[in-house]
């Protein structure tokens, strides 16, 4: 049932995000740093420096936004894919690859209603620590170079902002369109991702089915979700880099600003080289693989069906 699909998608999102959020934070910071202003050399370096400067909970900056909005996002994505697959099938016959891709396209298009503002807010909070650390480093260097001068400037102190403050400011200055900055880039990432992920998962999962009418074992669903998710994540990583750069409202010292997708693509290619489009690819694969593996296991177990079945009994 649709309520069961929505609940399953929400539970899967909450569990998955909680497990992999620190890696997602590292991905955002690695993708946003530009040549000449590199604060981190790798995912592990980013996480270690984050813990040292911001504490353990610094790795979860922006997690509240994700945990709040990931439930409707994952619910829409998984339920929409099932909806489109159902309506594209003819008399219960097996879907062709093209129809599976169309179903994935529909799911990816539907989810951006929630994904775009969620990613917009999350990125600001995740990247705030990097920008603050960069400013402190620049201020410390300036202070050392002018140590003989009287009244040397003190390092800047980071001002913590919240998702609500960012939301109010965007709505006040730009209206609802402010929360949907980077919508085109989000579509450019999420639609191809779903086109690759859902057909690949469905076909990998079928390999573990001994009978077409019997579900594959849960470990097959988990592994299929991991493989399909990581493959799709790496495939669309260049689009994710562009989306992250476009949605960042704050820039570090001497970092470029972008007017749109083409301008961003051109500047990254010219100034950082083609390999810059793969920044954070392994982080993104590490985030997406367990996230979708967990999602498919939750779907397999059918937690929502169990809860919904228990409601009438509890009332009785």
């Amino acid at each position: 049932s649709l309520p069961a699909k929505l609940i399953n998608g929400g539970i899967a999102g909450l569990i998955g995000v909680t497990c992999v959020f620190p890696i997602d934070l590292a991905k955002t910071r690695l993708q946003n740093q530009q040549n000449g202003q590199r604060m981190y050399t790798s995912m592990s370096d980013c996480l270690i420096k984050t813990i040292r400067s911001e504490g353990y909970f610094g790795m979860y900056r922006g997690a509240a936004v994700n945990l709040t909005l990931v439930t409707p996002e994952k619910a829409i994505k998984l339920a929409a894919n099932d909806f489109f697959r159902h309506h594209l099938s003819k008399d219960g016959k097996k879907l062709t690859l093209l129809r599976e891709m169309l179903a994935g396209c529909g799911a990816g298009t539907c989810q951006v209603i929630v994904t775009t503002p969620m990613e917009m807010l999350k990125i600001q909070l995740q990247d705030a620590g990097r920008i603050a650390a960069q400013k402190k480093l620049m201020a410390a260097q300036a202070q050392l170079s002018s140590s003989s001068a009287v009244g040397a400037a003190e390092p800047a102190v980071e001002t913590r902002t919240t998702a609500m403050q960012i939301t109010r400011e965007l709505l006040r200055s730009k209206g609802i369109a402010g929360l949907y900055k980077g919508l085109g880039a989000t579509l450019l990432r999420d639609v191809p991702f779903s086109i690759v992920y859902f057909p690949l998962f469905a076909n990998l999962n079928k390999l573990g089915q001994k009978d077409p009418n019997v579900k594959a074992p849960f470990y097959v669903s988990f592994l299929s979700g991991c493989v399909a998710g990581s493959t799709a994540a790496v495939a669309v990583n260049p689009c994710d880099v562009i989306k992250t750069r476009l949605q960042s409202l704050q820039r570090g010292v001497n970092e470029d600003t972008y007017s749109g997708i083409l301008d961003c693509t051109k500047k990254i290619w010219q100034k950082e080289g083609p390999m810059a489009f793969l920044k954070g690819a392994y982080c993104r694969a590490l985030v997406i693989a367990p996230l979708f593996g967990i999602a498919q296991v939750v779907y397999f177990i059918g937690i929502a069906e169990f809860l919904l079945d228990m409601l009438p009994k509890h009332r009785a």
Side-chain angles (χ1 to χ4, degrees), residues 25 28-34 37-40 46 49-50 53-54 58 61 120-140 155-161 166 244-245 247-257:
L25 178 135
T28 297
R29 293 188 177 185
L30 288 170
Q31 286 182 340
N32 260 336
Q33 64 179 6
Q34 300 178 23
Q37 299 294 338
R38 296 186 64 186
M39 294 292 299
Y40 316 108
C46 178
K49 288 179 177 176
T50 298
S53 61
E54 303 169 53
R61 293 184 69 169
M120 178 73 177
L121 295 172
K122 182 195 72 171
I123 285 170
Q124 314 318 313
L125 297 171
Q126 284 183 327
D127 205 40
R130 180 188 70 88
I131 294 171
Q134 188 188 91
K135 288 179 178 178
K136 286 179 183 178
L137 180 63
M138 297 292 288
V157 178
E158 180 190 358
T159 302
R160 291 277 179 123
T161 56
I166 297 170
T244 301
R245 296 280 182 96
Q247 288 188 318
S248 297
L249 300 176
Q250 299 293 325
R251 303 287 177 188
V253 181
N254 301 322
E255 290 185 344
D256 288 327
T257 57

Side-chain angles (χ1 to χ4, degrees), residues 271-312:
K271 297 184 178 182
E272 301 174 58
M275 290 303 294
F277 291 104
L278 293 177
K279 281 184 177 181
Y282 65 97
C283 291
R284 183 161 164 75
L286 288 174
V287 169
I288 296 297
L291 189 62
F292 279 85
I294 291 167
Q296 296 301 344
V297 169
V298 170
Y299 247 45
F300 174 87
I301 295 172
I303 293 174
E305 287 88 340
F306 173 76
L307 293 174
L308 291 171
D309 286 343
M310 288 296 291
L311 283 176

